[in-house]
Amino acid sequence: MVGATSLPTGAAAAVAAPAARTAPSTSSAPSTPATPTTPSMQHPPGPMPLARLFNNTAISDDSRPGTADFDGAGHSLSAQDLAAAGWSRGSVLAIDGARIGWPRSAAGAPDNVVADGQPVTVTGRGDALTFLVAGTGGIDPDVGNDPDDGSATDGENGPAVTGTGTVRYRDGSRSRYELTAPDWRSGPLSTKAVALPHINGAGGQTTETARLYAVTVPLRAGREVVSVTLPPAPGAAGDLHVFAVSVRDTGQGRTGSWAASTAGYRAVGPWQDRTLRLVVHAGAGGPRARIRLANTFAAAPVDIASASIALQDSGAAARTAPVPLTFDRGHTGTRIPAGAEAFSDPVDFTVPADTNLLVSIHLPGTVTAAPVHQEATQLSYVSAPGSGDRSGDRDGAAYPETMTSWPFLTGVDVEGGPGSIVALGDSITDGVKSTSGANRRWPDVLARRFQAQSLLPRYGVINHGISANRIVTDRYLGDGVSKDMGGVSAQHRLERDVLAQPAARTVVVFEGINDVRWGTEADEVIGGLRAIAGRAHERGLRVVAATVAPCEGYTDCTPAVEARRQAVNAFIRDHEGTFDAVLDFDAVIRDPQRPQRMLPAYDSGDHLHPGDAGLKALGDSVDLRALVPEGRG
């Protein structure tokens, strides 16, 4: 189970036992709000574990809400809500590739640090630091809030709180970072780590969504972190609260073989004591596989009783007996908290390149909603109701039902290899209108080309396309059960779907048609592309952009849409150094006689999505060298 997992070095620093302090009152009688503990201006002489620096209490028991004061106005998080989400005391949370220790503090005891320049012991090597944070107390000048009136709206609509800190490395060097903590009551739900349904106050509990965030900042490549200095107090801008911090290692020495993005949180089943057998297509091959399961956007934990991996024979049948997977160093199952993910232990299972796999997961409880990738373009299978654990079955007789989506499963990685190229896109990348089960998406074509050559590294190509996705705007708002499976925006999912992917080397951005079709101005799309490129470059990735494909003939592709598309493409082609390379996908599939439409031979028939021939043309058009980072060719 997640809570029993041993902590990595960096995470251990975040949950070490706090120093002795005066215990808060545990009286059940009504009380006035606890006085918030303000950060001391006297810092310790050297770095200390974060928990020894805790100076604020954010979490209260519902029966004693007055024992915590997170925001300076007597409000706090509910310990019961956190437990219901699976965020139990001392648990280890895997979020966006990082393993983070949630504080061990009891409700009503100090559990976070109000940042004010404190030096914190954090150790490890990786690509980023991940902070569990939230901002409080900032007042939006456009919203009239009185922090002293005790109402349920005190402090809401506060702006994000930002500060600059320092990382110190073993070799004596330092780097600066900027940390932004969205407001705990009004920050974006599309980027939150977890949302909780209540806020506690001195007068009781109100129904209002509280948020916590996992925020990452880049590290210098290859250097070992020894400590982190938190940002100074931002003053009137509010308080920046840090619950945990750890070094994230996205798995150097691994290559992504298959991946899919969580597009939304959808009602399913209900599934009770059933096994899902998911069919996925491996791009890159390699020894020793692991899977990634995600509970993205969820409000409650999900239990996985067992899992397995196998090569597909036909339908739900495996070629040989499925290989059992374990979690958390040998456990047959795991519990995945709301908003978190779980990685299986690497297993001796060789994944051949360009081969279908069966990944089976047994759900012992009742599941009524799940994070889902909607457009799988692939049949997967579900065992009969109440059939129990069928993850070890070689034949497919226990799987009478089919489905065309991928719930929970978001990745298959193999050990070794040169790393991954990430295709960040919309429905054209997702393979909508391609032949189901044939694996003819353009990233599939690209993956086969990389595996078939020997002059360049044989990168894995992982597909993070989501049908209906946009660069600028969230289709799915990021919380709650929804019928919209268009995902949060490319900007809001960039951390999870690109930067946290195993050994990501290059990102190919092929989005924008949905933005311009639905009214987003070209300069906003261009601004989003610039932001994506800037963040990816900051993390050391090569950034390649593809021009937006034509769509004349589709219902809403008006002349105004075409004008916006042309403006975006003009920027991509003459990008002033924003990208490392450009793929002119527009030129590949447009009709030379009428450039605003797709060549009929490449058109699936709806004039928006290429068919198999068009997708092959896109994948074949890519100069593989354009995707290889400098020094790796």
Side-chain angles (χ1 to χ4, degrees):
M1 306 297 280
V2 173
T5 304
S6 298
L7 286 166
T9 306
V15 294
R21 61 181 74 245
T22 303
S25 169
T26 58
S27 170
S28 59
S31 60
T32 58
T35 302
T37 307
T38 56
S40 170
M41 298 304 291
Q42 300 297 318
H43 294 155
M48 299 179 68
L50 186 73
R52 293 182 63 185
L53 298 168
F54 284 169
N55 57 13
N56 176 266
T57 303
I59 304 168
S60 65
D61 188 279
D62 291 351
S63 65
R64 297 185 296 277
T67 61
D69 184 3
F70 188 24
D71 62 354
H75 302 123
S76 57
L77 304 170
S78 163
Q80 282 80 355
D81 283 353
L82 283 160
W87 289 48
S88 56
R89 292 171 50 192
S91 61
V92 177
L93 305 164
I95 300 176
D96 294 345
R99 297 177 67 80
I100 310 165
W102 183 242
R104 300 181 184 277
S105 308
D111 49 37
N112 72 93
V113 174
V114 178
D116 187 20
Q118 300 94 331
V120 181
T121 303
V122 183
T123 60
R125 296 178 187 270
D127 69 298
L129 285 173
T130 298
F131 294 83
L132 273 178
V133 296
T136 66
I139 302 300
D140 188 330
D142 296 326
V143 179
N145 289 315
D146 178 1
D148 298 319
D149 68 6
S151 70
T153 59
D154 289 350
E156 70 176 339
N157 296 304
V161 182
T162 299
T164 301
T166 305
V167 180
R168 187 166 67 87
Y169 301 94
R170 180 73 62 189
D171 63 5
S173 63
R174 298 171 185 264
S175 63
R176 294 173 68 78
Y177 67 89
E178 184 175 90
L179 178 63
T180 297
D183 186 80
W184 75 300
R185 298 173 75 171
S186 63
L189 286 167
S190 54
T191 58
K192 56 83 168 79
V194 68
L196 306 171
H198 304 105
I199 288 177
N200 286 348
Q205 188 176 80
T206 58
T207 300
E208 181 187 340
T209 303
R211 298 106 156 134
L212 295 173
Y213 294 87
V215 178
T216 67
V217 299
L219 294 171
R220 289 183 178 171
R223 304 192 188 186
E224 183 181 359
V225 176
V226 294
S227 68
V228 175
T229 300
L230 299 180
D239 288 329
L240 194 163
H241 298 257
V242 180
F243 291 85
V245 58
S246 69
V247 175
R248 180 179 76 184
D249 179 1
T250 56
Q252 304 302 312
R254 289 193 177 91
T255 293
S257 181
W258 172 87
S261 302
T262 301
Y265 193 66
R266 194 189 80 183
V268 297
W271 297 324
Q272 184 174 25
D273 196 19
R274 303 175 79 174
T275 303
L276 311 181
R277 179 154 280 185
L278 307 177
V279 180
V280 302
H281 188 71
R288 292 183 61 77
R290 73 170 187 178
I291 67 169
R292 178 172 62 253
L293 302 172
N295 203 18
T296 320
F297 306 132
V302 63
D303 288 321
I304 308 297
S306 62
S308 69
I309 189 168
L311 301 181
Q312 185 188 29
D313 184 9
S314 63
R319 291 188 200 171
T320 58
V323 176
L325 296 169
T326 61
F327 299 85
D328 308 323
R329 300 181 183 178
H331 293 83
T332 57
T334 189
R335 168 169 285 188
I336 311 175
E341 58 193 353
F343 295 85
S344 69
D345 303 322
V347 65
D348 288 329
F349 176 84
T350 297
V351 174
D354 197 19
T355 303
N356 277 4
L357 306 174
L358 301 176
V359 176
S360 303
I361 56 175
H362 174 216
L363 304 171
T366 301
V367 175
T368 59
V372 166
H373 184 90
Q374 182 71 11
E375 298 289 345
T377 321
Q378 176 67 64
L379 276 181
S380 290
Y381 303 90
V382 186
S383 72
S387 57
D389 182 9
R390 311 310 298 251
S391 62
D393 287 14
R394 180 176 173 180
D395 65 50
Y399 294 91
E401 297 181 22
T402 62
M403 61 181 171
T404 57
S405 61
W406 288 310
F408 297 115
L409 183 66
T410 59
V412 178
D413 308 330
V414 294
E415 287 197 0
S420 311
I421 292 168
V422 185
L424 182 68
D426 50 36
S427 57
I428 300 178
T429 298
D430 208 4
V432 170
K433 298 296 184 178
S434 66
T435 300
S436 180
N439 301 303
R440 293 177 180 171
R441 312 163 190 89
W442 73 261
D444 295 327
V445 176
L446 190 62
R448 283 189 281 269
R449 291 183 61 207
F450 265 111
Q451 297 306 307
Q453 55 81 48
S454 58
L455 297 178
L456 299 172
R458 291 178 174 169
Y459 290 107
V461 180
I462 51 179
N463 190 332
H464 280 282
I466 297 178
S467 179
N469 199 236
R470 299 170 69 172
I471 291 172
V472 176
T473 307
D474 298 326
R475 280 296 302 262
Y476 171 61
L477 297 181
D479 191 60
V481 176
S482 172
K483 294 182 179 179
D484 195 316
M485 294 288 111
V488 301
S489 72
Q491 294 183 83
H492 285 161
R493 66 188 180 97
L494 184 69
E495 187 70 50
R496 175 175 61 250
D497 289 348
V498 177
L499 304 180
Q501 293 301 305
R505 309 296 188 201
T506 299
V507 56
V508 180
V509 185
F510 180 32
E511 285 212 49
I513 189 62
N514 294 327
D515 295 84
V516 298
R517 282 176 50 226
W518 294 326
T520 305
E521 295 301 326
D523 59 351
E524 294 181 77
V525 180
I526 291 167
L529 288 169
R530 287 186 186 276
I532 288 171
R535 289 171 60 194
H537 277 145
E538 187 179 49
R539 305 300 176 88
L541 272 66
R542 183 172 177 82
V543 183
V544 178
T547 50
V548 180
C551 66
E552 185 186 65
Y554 194 75
T555 305
D556 58 8
C557 284
T558 64
V561 169
E562 176 64 12
R564 291 193 287 267
R565 185 183 76 90
Q566 292 288 1
V568 172
N569 281 351
F571 162 73
I572 293 173
R573 292 186 178 106
D574 184 18
H575 52 81
E576 301 175 346
T578 301
F579 311 114
D580 298 296
V582 169
L583 306 177
D584 201 344
F585 280 180
D586 171 38
V588 172
I589 63 172
R590 70 190 180 202
D591 186 341
Q593 304 304 315
R594 192 172 180 83
Q596 63 267 41
R597 73 178 180 187
M598 199 183 313
L599 192 71
Y602 291 157
D603 194 338
S604 68
D606 71 0
H607 312 304
L608 176 65
H609 299 95
D612 290 352
L615 294 169
K616 186 175 188 303
L618 293 179
D620 284 342
S621 73
V622 177
D623 179 352
L624 299 185
R625 294 169 296 180
L627 306 187
V628 178
E630 291 184 11
R632 294 184 181 272

